[in-house]
Amino acid sequence: MKKIVGLLLITLPMFTSEAQSTTNTLLHPWKGNYGGVPAFGTYALTDFKPAITQAIAERLREVDAIAQQKAPATFANTIEALERKGKMYQRVRAIFELYSANLNTPEFEAIELEMAPKFSEMSSAIYQNAALFTRIAAVYNGKEMEKLTAEQKRLVQTYYAQFVKEGALANAKSKQRIAEINKALAGCFTQFSQNQLADENNQYLLLETEADFAGLPQELADAARQEAKERQLKALGCIANTRSSIEPFLTFSSQRALREKAFHLFVNRGDNANAHNNNATVVQILKLRAEKAKLLGFPTFAHWSLSNTMAKQPQRTLDLMLSVWEPALLKVQEDVKAMQQLIAAEGGTFALEPWDYRYYAEKVRKEKYAVDANEIKPYMQLEPLREGMFWVAETIFDLTFTPVTDVPVFHPDVRVWEVRKKSTGTVVGLWYFDPYARKGKRSGAWMTAYRDQSRFDGEVLTLVSNNCNFIKGKPGEPVLISWDDANTLFHEFGHALHGLCSEVNYPLLSGTNTPRDYVEFPSQILERWLSTPEVLNRFALHYQTGAPMPMALVARLAAAATFNEGFSTVETLSSALVDMQLHLLENPEIDPKTFEAEALKALRMPQEIVMRHRIPQFGHIFSGDDYAAGYYGYLWADVISADATEAFTVDGKGLYDREVAQRLLDYVFKVGNTLDPEEAYPKFRGKKASTAALMRARNFPVK
């Protein structure tokens, strides 16, 4: 998700006009087709510091010029002017963030540590520019508002709310301290991320004998052997310390001792007795956030963070999470009982542990539903599934994708597609796809917009990217992914479609720039199309025979759709609940380990499961502010997603109902943040969302 960042500079460095020539290609306007694209292949690490310094100076000069105008404030000379400026800064920042997430090296880490606080300083300078806020407030409170379009009013309201939230109304002393806090936080976020990446890059599980490969599917074994070769290790194989490698190992390895090692390797990231321990950094972040919230008039950081979301108040999120938590616990108890019985039937005398859960859950699923992950995976080829996503995009969202080879990329693994509206042939943007794990790339999967769609100042095409961490395996062989990975693929593509379908005037309101607890809704609903027979019959093709997935297997998959839902709900919700509890602390002078243990004990966390993101590795909430006190948003959005799905499956004619799909496109995917979600969603659905659909979707009892 996009971050709003910036900074406080007392004096501005000398700047060079964007029109002037410079050898620093980071500062060059993007050239070529599609309104210009990043000039990957021309950027040098040595260019980042001078480019950032110059881009920040240019950005602050532009903002100050708007603030110091003699003419009375109007929508055009203040609000639209802010939307029009900042192009150089936006380009430089986009490339900086791309390197941070995908091409992070020790050399770049040093640059990142030094320069990240400067972005924060700039943000503080902009939000605390009294003359600028006076002009924004004049438009917000002025008579001109009556003449503006609904979208223009929404834009003014968004600017005003952002400035107020970031301290525009605070006194001078508070503003100075808030700026200092923002700068310190930026450094902490960078340190946290780099520590986590170091534990992921530098730690791994060795497979030293052929017996260590027992139970592993061939493609996972091949990937482990390839990983060992790339790391130049003497061992036969190596399991990288990333989710995409560890979780499959925990699911299939029959070597219990190795599963335990792999489990501890992964859950202890950022919590080891080494230079990359994140616990002190976590406490520092929490203290700074709590202080900032109080300076801004809020009792806790959670109250401040939720002030511009759908939820508004922390208690609403806690009520929702706990209403789902209790039935999820009951489901886990049932599942653990079934797994414990299976262990006993096999002659085992041990109690189920967290490193056993995935392994025995897979066995129970196979026994109960005749669904074997190893039976599914041969049909889960990455490339045909990608084509399946394109087919859904064409069928539901009126988009077509055509590969292009004349657009620069930042790594040989990256490919690019031109995206058009099928009905008109109009180009709407580019989609970059970076599917594979590699050293220097943060784990997980995400969507990034290098440039947002807009049209108020000429048609600007969006450039969006999906980045994943699938295991490449042997060169030249099809890449097979798990069912969960396929859901992730569709999920992140949903974010990309949210950007590509955008049809708004102003970039601040474009695409995924929605309230945080609404932005996951479009991505989560897209996952529903993966399991439809229309997709599986056409695109779930056996990697050896090319035959589609048999209908009998499709039916068994549907029957097992809610299996293990208790585990996934508890794993995720425990993280969300701990996140909220951390940020409700007024005085966060804590020991993270003790706090985590006590919080989970109070929740009656099953001993067989751990949080999906333990505190020292919880990058969502400690590598930036975007999801801090906001991890609940995945559940909040899933309530909406489950309810929206029933518009197709219960009230409509199925997931390919064209009338419902058109409403989804018109009131969700096209509108960005031009409509308040509280208004936009009922326009699509005809009513507000309720939790009942979510409970039905997870096979939990509906109250």
Side-chain angles (χ1 to χ4, degrees), residues 251 253-256 259 338-350 352 356 359-367:
T251 302
S253 174
S254 58
Q255 299 286 16
R256 189 167 187 251
R259 290 203 308 269
M339 287 185 269
Q340 200 66 60
Q341 289 172 346
L342 182 58
I343 291 170
E346 293 180 344
T349 57
F350 56 87
L352 188 80
D356 301 315
Y359 180 72
Y360 282 98
E362 184 60 31
K363 286 193 168 194
V364 170
R365 182 171 70 159
K366 184 178 179 181
E367 181 181 87

Side-chain angles (χ1 to χ4, degrees), residues 338-641:
M339 287 185 269
Q340 200 66 60
Q341 289 172 346
L342 182 58
I343 291 170
E346 293 180 344
T349 57
F350 56 87
L352 188 80
E353 297 285 357
W355 49 90
D356 301 315
Y357 203 109
R358 283 182 170 83
Y359 180 72
Y360 282 98
E362 184 60 31
K363 286 193 168 194
V364 170
R365 182 171 70 159
K366 184 178 179 181
E367 181 181 87
K368 190 172 183 179
Y369 296 100
V371 173
D372 183 352
N374 288 322
E375 184 184 5
I376 300 168
K377 200 163 187 178
Y379 296 94
M380 297 285 101
Q381 293 184 74
L382 177 60
E383 291 305 307
L385 287 172
R386 176 189 50 72
E387 290 293 331
M389 295 193 315
F390 289 173
W391 181 80
V392 171
E394 180 179 349
T395 305
I396 303 297
F397 299 98
D398 191 35
L399 296 178
T400 62
F401 290 71
T402 304
V404 292
T405 57
D406 59 348
V407 173
V409 295
F410 62 85
H411 189 277
D413 287 344
V414 181
R415 289 169 289 160
V416 187
W417 280 260
E418 175 188 274
V419 188
R420 293 177 180 264
K421 288 195 73 171
K422 181 184 179 183
S423 57
T424 64
T426 306
V427 177
V428 299
L430 293 177
W431 182 66
Y432 294 73
F433 187 40
D434 177 27
Y436 303 123
R438 60 178 171 270
K439 192 172 183 180
K441 184 179 184 181
R442 68 179 174 91
S443 62
W446 59 93
M447 171 269 189
T448 301
Y450 303 148
R451 183 175 66 213
D452 287 323
Q453 175 270 335
S454 66
R455 56 174 51 147
F456 85 104
D457 197 26
E459 194 73 36
V460 176
L461 304 180
T462 189
L463 308 175
V464 301
S465 173
N466 279 151
N467 304 67
C468 305
N469 272 278
F470 302 131
I471 301 171
K472 213 170 185 179
K474 284 184 176 179
E477 290 191 357
V479 175
L480 302 180
I481 63 177
S482 69
W483 182 258
D484 286 345
D485 284 340
N487 272 286
T488 297
L489 186 69
F490 271 65
H491 177 101
E492 296 304 332
F493 190 59
H495 285 308
L497 292 179
H498 198 180
L500 290 163
C501 291
S502 180
E503 294 185 12
V504 309
N505 289 307
Y506 300 101
L508 187 65
L509 304 178
S510 178
T512 59
N513 295 324
T514 66
R516 182 186 59 219
D517 48 8
Y518 190 69
V519 76
E520 296 295 335
F521 158 44
S523 59
Q524 287 178 342
I525 195 170
L526 198 79
E527 296 176 31
R528 269 60 174 188
W529 275 276
L530 167 63
S531 58
T532 60
E534 290 87 344
V535 169
L536 295 178
N537 286 339
R538 298 185 192 197
F539 303 103
L541 305 177
H542 197 283
Y543 78 103
Q544 290 175 323
T545 67
M549 183 179 286
M551 285 304 298
L553 179 54
V554 174
R556 297 201 305 272
L557 272 173
T562 60
F563 174 73
N564 217 28
E565 198 63 66
F567 169 82
S568 59
T569 301
V570 165
E571 184 190 45
T572 304
L573 263 190
S574 58
S575 297
L577 285 161
V578 169
D579 164 38
M580 191 58 66
Q581 291 173 18
L582 282 168
H583 290 108
L584 282 168
L585 294 171
E586 295 185 37
N587 178 26
E589 188 69 60
I590 62 165
D591 171 64
K593 277 190 176 181
T594 302
F595 183 91
E596 180 179 297
E598 291 178 351
L600 295 177
K601 182 179 179 181
L603 288 169
R604 308 190 322 281
M605 179 75 166
Q607 65 180 20
E608 299 87 1
I609 304 178
V610 295
M611 296 165 62
R612 183 168 180 83
H613 307 284
R614 288 194 55 241
I615 291 175
Q617 63 213 218
F618 207 162
H620 280 77
I621 68 173
F622 291 120
S623 63
D625 276 341
D626 281 7
Y627 280 77
Y631 199 66
Y632 77 90
Y634 285 95
L635 179 66
W636 189 275
D638 210 20
V639 168
I640 303 171
S641 175

Side-chain angles (χ1 to χ4, degrees), residues 137-403:
V139 178
Y140 177 78
N141 293 309
K143 292 183 178 179
E144 186 187 11
M145 280 286 278
E146 299 172 7
K147 303 176 184 178
L148 300 179
T149 67
E151 181 179 348
Q152 290 171 334
K153 289 177 182 177
R154 179 75 171 169
L155 182 64
V156 175
Q157 293 161 353
T158 301
Y159 265 107
Y160 184 83
Q162 282 184 349
F163 272 71
V164 170
K165 184 180 180 185
E166 293 296 335
L169 295 176
N171 61 44
K173 184 178 179 181
S174 294
K175 283 182 178 179
Q176 181 179 352
R177 179 56 186 154
I178 289 167
E180 293 169 353
I181 289 172
N182 289 339
K183 181 179 179 180
L185 280 170
C188 289
F189 296 155
T190 302
Q191 188 63 64
F192 181 96
S193 298
Q194 291 186 358
N195 284 343
Q196 183 175 342
L197 185 61
D199 274 359
E200 290 175 353
N201 280 340
N202 301 331
Q203 297 177 353
Y204 42 81
L205 176 70
L206 293 178
L207 304 181
E208 299 183 287
T209 68
E210 289 296 337
D212 291 346
F213 290 83
L216 301 187
Q218 189 61 49
E219 69 276 1
L220 183 57
D222 291 343
R225 295 181 194 276
Q226 184 65 26
E227 183 77 16
K229 288 180 182 178
E230 290 178 2
R231 290 179 180 267
Q232 299 181 331
L233 302 172
K234 293 181 180 179
L236 295 177
C238 168
I239 302 297
N241 195 20
T242 62
R243 191 176 298 278
S244 58
S245 293
I246 293 290
E247 287 190 354
F249 185 82
L250 293 176
T251 302
F252 297 111
S253 174
S254 58
Q255 299 286 16
R256 189 167 187 251
L258 286 180
R259 290 203 308 269
E260 183 177 0
K261 285 183 180 179
F263 171 83
H264 287 301
L265 196 70
F266 189 66
V267 301
N268 288 333
R269 290 168 298 144
D271 197 22
N272 295 297
N274 60 23
H276 308 302
N277 189 291
N278 265 330
N279 286 293
T281 304
V282 163
V283 174
Q284 182 67 7
I285 290 171
L286 291 171
K287 287 180 179 178
L288 290 168
R289 283 174 171 165
E291 183 184 356
K292 177 180 176 179
K294 288 171 185 172
L295 288 170
L296 291 167
F298 291 86
T300 70
F301 180 84
H303 288 84
W304 175 82
S305 181
L306 269 66
S307 61
N308 66 343
T309 64
M310 292 183 72
K312 297 291 190 293
Q313 293 293 332
Q315 191 60 48
R316 288 188 72 192
T317 75
L318 291 170
D319 291 344
L320 170 64
M321 288 189 283
L322 291 173
S323 72
V324 180
W325 179 256
E326 291 302 324
L329 287 183
L330 292 174
K331 190 70 171 65
V332 167
Q333 290 172 7
E334 294 174 10
D335 292 344
V336 167
K337 183 178 180 180
M339 287 185 269
Q340 200 66 60
Q341 289 172 346
L342 182 58
I343 291 170
E346 293 180 344
T349 57
F350 56 87
L352 188 80
E353 297 285 357
W355 49 90
D356 301 315
Y357 203 109
R358 283 182 170 83
Y359 180 72
Y360 282 98
E362 184 60 31
K363 286 193 168 194
V364 170
R365 182 171 70 159
K366 184 178 179 181
E367 181 181 87
K368 190 172 183 179
Y369 296 100
V371 173
D372 183 352
N374 288 322
E375 184 184 5
I376 300 168
K377 200 163 187 178
Y379 296 94
M380 297 285 101
Q381 293 184 74
L382 177 60
E383 291 305 307
L385 287 172
R386 176 189 50 72
E387 290 293 331
M389 295 193 315
F390 289 173
W391 181 80
V392 171
E394 180 179 349
T395 305
I396 303 297
F397 299 98
D398 191 35
L399 296 178
T400 62
F401 290 71
T402 304

